[in-house]
Amino acid sequence: MKVVKSAFKFKGGVHPDYNKGLANNKLIEALPMPSELVISMSQHLGAPAKCIVKPGDYVSRGQIIGERNGFISVCVRASASGLVKAVEKRLGPAGGKADAVILDTTASAPEGVEMLGDGPVLKPLDWENSSREELIARVEEAGICGMGGAGFPTSVKLNPPPGKRCEYLIINGAECEPYLCADHRVMVEKASRIRLGVEIMRKILGECAVRIAVESNKPDAIQALSEAFADISGNVEIVVLSVLYPQGSEKHQIFATVKRIVPEPPALPIDVGCVVENVSTAVAIADAVEKGEPLLERVTTVSGDAISEPKNILAPCGTKYSDLVQFCSGTKETPAKVISGGTMMGFAVPSLEIATTKTTSGILLLSSRRVFQYTSGPCINCGRCVRACPMCLNPADISKAVEANDISDAERAHVMTCIECGACSFSCPAYRTITQFCRRAKNSIRARIAAEKAKAAAAQNAAEKKEIQK
Amino acid sequence: MITAIVCIAGIGLVASFVLAVADKYLSVQEDPRIGLVLSELPGANCGGCGFAGCDAYARALVEGTAPNGACPAGGEAVAAKIAGILGVEASATEKRVALVKCCGTRSEAIRVGDYNGICDCNVAAMTAGGDKGCVYGCLGYGACANVCPKGAISIYDGLAKVDKRLCIGCGKCVSVCPKKLIELVPSSATIHVLCNNPDKGPSVRKVCGVGCMGCHLCEKNSGGKEAGHFTFQGFLAKVNYSNPPTDEQIVAKCPAKCMSVDPLLESGH
């Protein structure tokens, strides 16, 4: 194992105000169980899980309450024991309503009602003597999805399609988003768990080189990881990345660590022989396999200049933001904006009644001094967004095309390659919401493709029916 | 000078000869009825008939592959004229107009945040479902107004309003609305429920002063369930437009004040 400095720098990128000092030296604290949890069925990328409990049911900690619903999907388990008060549509952090189970954690089941025990929900596995399939099945049944933000089902990622082999397992500890330091604390405090997760993933993926990518602004994390990984066998390197946003993006990390370029979508990292997993996901895998503990809680950074005591909190998935804020001794002043996630890619949320999910890495409460009220102007063709775009796109062109409602022109400008990192909007002197324009174009294109697919499927169905009738 | 005149005149003569020959041997026979039908169609190219434009629809009509009366903008009058040209029956269609099923103005429906991004409902809806407290309600950023070929939709007080006299029922606004709250309704119907929120009464009341609570009073006042003037989706009343209510008294009796008599006309400006 050695620590190396990344030799490759991607084009573009920006340097936002990091503000990590607010919480990056705060130990992870466990949240006392809140009295009510709101567990969403849509905590991951892909199809939402299918809710299988109904109001009045008593569920126990770790019990499956949402079944996996399709290939790109994961199951949802109850984060705590309690009574299902209601199953209703609730607003999620990214906008849009999804089914959510409202759980009263103070209620205990009356006599005669069956509940699972309080011990490990799944049986601990001896990972060294388990088969690859057993381990993948464990990752799947533990409900693990990527915890960096996108929430891609991990079991799908760890099971490359036939003909594709993983050469590099990249562990993402860059955490380039401003304010957030949940992954940073996990690396410092749970480095040995990360190591175990890496060893299990290496067993699942077959012999592959491991690259652990950490930005150079986290020296204590690099120190902790190099101690934990000191005697690991095989090709393992800790790659120290330069501090640059969006260093934590999957594609840029692959470039920065192994200098491979992921082609345009629908290509995935596995097409260039790479699998990227977040450090917290590695910990979740280690817990699921070794302790039989499904993914029920995660570390969330609660920070921002409006919060009294910024903290890193280990909270059950489904904790309401208001409970987390209360645990941080409330707010110093009225927040002007609440952001779920980091300042660059996070979503502004309308209330604190929204609950955390498996992918909530942070909640930021910003005062009016930090929130800039702007008015967008016309593009002045300065080219700063072009220089900032890490995907080598021309965001100015795309934004102007979308503004003129010409989505096909935006598509020709490769808008689907956009990773929505926000570097263009950040660098725009005319305060244009360029990322939003890109998202609008991507949504319309996705909708169009889905409609075309549905049409083709319907036509094929009709043709098949005709043939049968003949 | 003379050389130039002779050259140009010569080229002209040769070209005219070529054109005359081409006209004789290469001419395309077009059904003269296509032109006649096209002159009767409104020419808005709105696409409401399902064809690429008025020209495509006229061709399809003459070829007999499209039903007469599919033009929502022209309505019965145009269908009758086309029937005269083509000698076919006009299939009876009633003119349909767009109805925005929301009446939560800025003063009635609460807004949960300040949105200052792109002024387009579809984009606003991507940000936490929009800044309106009611996630089913009209955001009022004018995605429908932008696609309307007739300028029949305008935004008043954070709410889209359709002018019935200008609307041609092409349905473009229906497909563009991210909240799917615009519906094409028969233009003769006068009583409408202007709400799109199927949630229970208390949660509707929390976000809007004029939201439907599903109290069924409109149904009771219009002759009960058997009369069949209303259907219910969750806690939301919907007018059954194949059997619309006619008694305008029920509008005033609606406790939620989400019903209206012909909101399409009064919004005209």
Side-chain angles (χ1 to χ4, degrees), chain A residues 200 245 310 401 410 431:
Chain A
I200 294 168
Y245 180 87
Y431 310 124

Side-chain angles (χ1 to χ4, degrees), chain A residues 38-76:
Chain A
V38 179
I39 306 169
S40 169
M41 290 294 123
S42 180
Q43 303 199 18
H44 50 266
L45 195 84
K50 201 170 116 229
C51 182
I52 54 167
V53 291
K54 54 185 188 306
D57 282 353
Y58 285 91
V59 296
S60 62
R61 186 174 185 275
Q63 189 181 330
I64 292 185
I65 53 173
E67 267 176 357
R68 188 178 169 180
N69 189 9
F71 181 62
I72 308 282
S73 183
V74 292
C75 64
V76 176

Side-chain angles (χ1 to χ4, degrees), chain A residues 44-214:
Chain A
H44 50 266
L45 195 84
K50 201 170 116 229
C51 182
I52 54 167
V53 291
K54 54 185 188 306
D57 282 353
Y58 285 91
V59 296
S60 62
R61 186 174 185 275
Q63 189 181 330
I64 292 185
I65 53 173
E67 267 176 357
R68 188 178 169 180
N69 189 9
F71 181 62
I72 308 282
S73 183
V74 292
C75 64
V76 176
R77 286 170 181 271
S79 312
S81 306
L83 167 69
V84 177
K85 275 203 282 195
V87 178
E88 56 188 37
K89 297 248 184 239
R90 284 287 181 102
L91 197 66
K97 281 194 161 186
D99 272 330
V101 171
I102 322 293
L103 203 64
D104 180 2
T105 59
T106 52
S108 54
E111 289 276 321
V113 178
E114 208 175 313
M115 279 175 59
L116 291 169
D118 252 354
V121 187
L122 303 163
K123 248 182 37 213
L125 274 182
D126 176 12
W127 66 272
E128 275 169 283
N129 298 318
S130 306
S131 72
R132 182 175 170 270
E133 283 70 31
E134 276 176 308
L135 292 171
I136 291 179
R138 170 51 55 93
V139 170
E140 188 195 317
E141 65 192 352
I144 299 176
C145 63
M147 289 163 79
F152 194 84
T154 304
S155 60
V156 179
K157 229 189 224 183
L158 291 180
N159 198 0
K164 285 173 187 163
R165 207 180 77 78
C166 168
E167 293 163 59
Y168 287 100
L169 169 65
I170 299 167
I171 303 298
N172 185 347
E175 199 164 53
C176 57
E177 273 277 4
Y179 289 95
L180 304 188
C181 35
D183 287 348
H184 181 180
R185 290 316 304 176
V186 167
M187 285 189 280
V188 172
E189 294 176 38
K190 298 185 179 178
S192 57
R193 302 299 297 168
I194 296 174
R195 175 183 167 159
L196 180 61
V198 166
E199 282 174 307
I200 294 168
M201 279 192 271
R202 201 160 59 166
K203 168 136 190 166
I204 295 175
L205 290 165
E207 222 24 68
C208 57
V210 179
R211 297 285 178 271
I212 300 150
V214 190

